[in-house]
Amino acid sequence: MDNPHDIEQIAAIKEELQTNGPASAAAKIQDYLDKQDNVQLNIAITGESGSGKSTFVNAFRGIPNRDKERAAPSGVKETTTDPTPYPHPNYPKVTLWDLPGIGTIRFPADEYLKKVGFDRYDFFIIISADRFRENDVKLAKEIQKMGKKFYFVRSKIDNNIRDEKKTRGSEFNDEEILKEIREDCIQGLEGHVESPRVFLVSSFELHLYDFRLLEKTFAEELPANKRKVLLLALPNVSLEIIRKKKGALQANIKYLAAGSALGALAPVPGLSVAVDMAMMVKTTSKYQATFGLDSESLQSLAQTVGMPVEELRAVMTSPLAAQEISTEVIIKVLSSSLIFISLMAVEEGSRWLPLIGFPAAMAASAACTYKSLSMFLDMLAEDAQKVFEKALGLNTSV
């Protein structure tokens, strides 16, 4: 069922079609899609030096620390000397800003927000490798005063779990350890920050612990347009995120199909099909990147989990798997579908029928686009689930 925003948008497109004609309606659809692609999201990652900010930035973007060209430099010392932007590799409008550690000589706590450019960020993630300290509390209070969201992230949880397992031996219980760490962090913040929430995260194992809870909190508190672009840029750390991504991408197919239908009115044989092919290549490439199935993303995932990339490619079964999307690839996949061939023939043939030709062409074009993109999305979402299961497994109950 369409949400209220979709119903409103569809009504506006229909009105544009009736008032100003197909070209204007098609332009309105394209403008709507372009606005979605141009939504900017700036996320500030801050905390004291050595807290794991840079490693978190890299993990969020799906880039291993060892990638010297694209990764934020990380280490035990403070490696960030100025606010540094790191755009998402597949969604460059989503930028994570690695901020200098608060309380350093160049960035004292009382001047921190001004010096790092507070206004540019949509929300802040305050990271600590142990207890949150006085500077973290000061920062949170100032952010709260200025009406923006912030989230406390306790990093390097995997190290704590490993150390406690060695110490406690047979009495070790991971859920009890996590509860103790969370309560200890919250107690240190209570009385200073209103209703503090702390998320326990391992940047090397985002599929474990609280990262999924952090993602759900973002979804509840961000505006709808920014919520969607954040979802699409998230790493695939759970099957639920893959399903949510599929749903978000599926919601746009009706607009692409409507644009295809309006394009079918062009009185030039073959033009509509050519335009649709270019759109399908672009859209399917976007699906592939969103699910992390392009070559670069697969290579990064393989490095992160310590697995040969060939093993990840081997579990992908769709004809779109592990290759660059091109017109030839799209045609090859669609040529096996009798429905597609029939609809394409109907579109071109019906264009010249008197009176009913254009409506028939529009219906065929819309149906062809909708069915084709839905099929591609299903294929790639299924491959994404298989790659996730191979790379990370399903033991994500912690």
Side-chain angles (χ1 to χ4, degrees):
M1 182 179 294
D2 292 328
N3 62 43
H5 176 73
D6 276 340
I7 293 172
E8 181 181 337
Q9 189 63 38
I10 291 168
I13 292 169
K14 286 180 179 178
E15 182 179 354
E16 190 70 26
L17 176 63
Q18 293 167 357
T19 305
N20 298 313
S24 183
K28 190 172 186 67
I29 291 172
Q30 191 58 52
D31 180 63
Y32 172 71
L33 296 173
D34 288 343
K35 283 181 179 177
Q36 287 192 351
D37 289 338
N38 288 313
V39 172
Q40 300 230 359
L41 183 65
N42 291 291
I43 305 170
I45 311 298
T46 185
E48 293 192 331
S49 60
S51 59
K53 302 188 305 294
S54 298
T55 300
F56 182 86
V57 167
N58 294 334
F60 194 103
R61 296 163 62 236
I63 295 175
N65 282 343
R66 66 177 71 97
D67 188 328
K68 301 303 182 185
E69 292 184 5
R70 299 183 299 156
S74 60
V76 294
K77 296 181 180 180
E78 177 61 40
T79 55
T80 306
T81 57
D82 292 292
T84 307
Y86 290 96
H88 190 280
N90 296 324
Y91 283 87
K93 298 293 182 181
V94 176
T95 303
L96 279 79
W97 291 79
D98 190 1
L99 304 188
I102 184 172
T104 58
I105 295 175
R106 290 188 61 200
F107 292 87
D110 56 348
E111 299 178 21
Y112 187 80
L113 287 177
K114 181 180 179 181
K115 288 196 171 226
V116 300
F118 171 84
D119 289 338
R120 71 159 65 103
Y121 310 115
D122 290 284
F123 62 87
F124 290 74
I125 295 177
I126 304 172
I127 295 183
S128 176
D130 41 61
R131 292 178 69 96
F132 291 93
R133 306 186 189 281
E134 182 181 359
N135 284 336
D136 299 315
V137 172
K138 285 181 180 178
L139 178 60
K141 285 182 175 179
E142 290 303 311
I143 296 171
Q144 202 164 36
K145 281 181 188 176
M146 297 184 185
K148 290 195 178 182
K149 297 290 185 180
F150 61 90
Y151 307 92
F152 288 109
V153 167
R154 172 66 161 76
S155 64
K156 304 182 183 181
I157 291 300
D158 50 322
N159 292 344
N160 298 109
I161 293 293
R162 185 170 58 249
D163 292 344
E164 290 295 333
K165 191 170 185 178
K166 290 178 181 178
T167 302
R168 304 194 185 194
S170 59
E171 297 180 2
F172 170 78
N173 182 299
D174 51 6
E175 291 186 6
E176 286 183 7
I177 298 302
L178 294 172
K179 183 180 178 181
E180 288 176 14
I181 294 172
R182 187 179 290 107
E183 289 179 350
D184 181 56
C185 289
I186 291 174
Q187 284 173 6
L189 294 169
E190 284 178 336
H192 303 287
V193 179
E194 184 179 348
S195 303
R197 292 172 297 177
V198 176
F199 300 89
L200 311 183
V201 171
S202 163
S203 294
F204 295 106
E205 297 176 305
L206 286 183
H207 61 296
L208 299 178
Y209 315 118
D210 288 348
F211 185 80
R212 286 175 292 167
L213 180 59
L214 180 62
E215 174 266 323
K216 288 180 181 178
T217 306
F218 293 153
E220 292 169 359
E221 299 185 354
L222 277 173
N225 59 338
K226 300 206 172 194
R227 182 188 317 153
K228 181 174 181 179
V229 72
L230 176 65
L231 168 64
L232 297 178
L234 284 172
N236 293 335
V237 297
S238 71
L239 295 177
E240 182 182 5
I241 284 181
I242 293 173
R243 286 192 288 268
K244 285 181 179 179
K245 286 185 177 185
K246 181 182 176 183
L249 294 169
Q250 181 73 47
N252 266 4
I253 293 181
K254 57 179 169 288
Y255 297 107
L256 294 165
S260 173
L262 294 168
L265 293 177
V268 180
L271 178 60
S272 174
V273 173
V275 172
D276 285 351
M277 279 295 169
M279 179 271 292
M280 286 186 190
V281 170
K282 179 181 177 181
T283 303
T284 307
S285 297
K286 179 180 179 180
Y287 294 168
Q288 189 185 61
T290 299
F291 289 124
L293 300 178
D294 56 294
S295 294
E296 200 166 61
S297 297
L298 281 173
Q299 189 65 52
S300 293
L301 176 60
Q303 290 180 17
T304 298
V305 300
M307 179 182 294
V309 70
E310 291 75 18
E311 290 189 24
L312 297 179
R313 293 179 185 274
V315 300
M316 299 165 66
T317 56
S318 82
L320 299 170
Q323 60 180 316
E324 184 176 351
I325 305 299
S326 64
T327 301
E328 291 72 24
V329 170
I330 294 295
I331 291 175
K332 184 177 180 180
V333 175
L334 290 177
S335 64
S336 62
S337 170
L338 293 177
I339 295 176
F340 169 76
I341 295 172
S342 300
L343 286 171
M344 189 165 62
V346 168
E347 179 184 349
E348 287 304 309
S350 64
R351 191 184 305 280
W352 308 108
L353 295 177
L355 300 179
I356 65 168
F358 285 158
M362 289 176 67
S365 182
C368 178
T369 299
Y370 193 91
K371 288 179 179 294
S372 299
L373 290 179
S374 295
M375 178 174 67
F376 300 154
L377 183 58
D378 288 344
M379 288 177 175
L380 290 169
E382 185 175 341
D383 275 344
Q385 292 187 34
K386 292 174 181 175
V387 168
F388 169 81
E389 291 169 1
K390 179 67 176 179
L392 301 176
L394 294 177
N395 184 24
T396 59
S397 59
V398 177

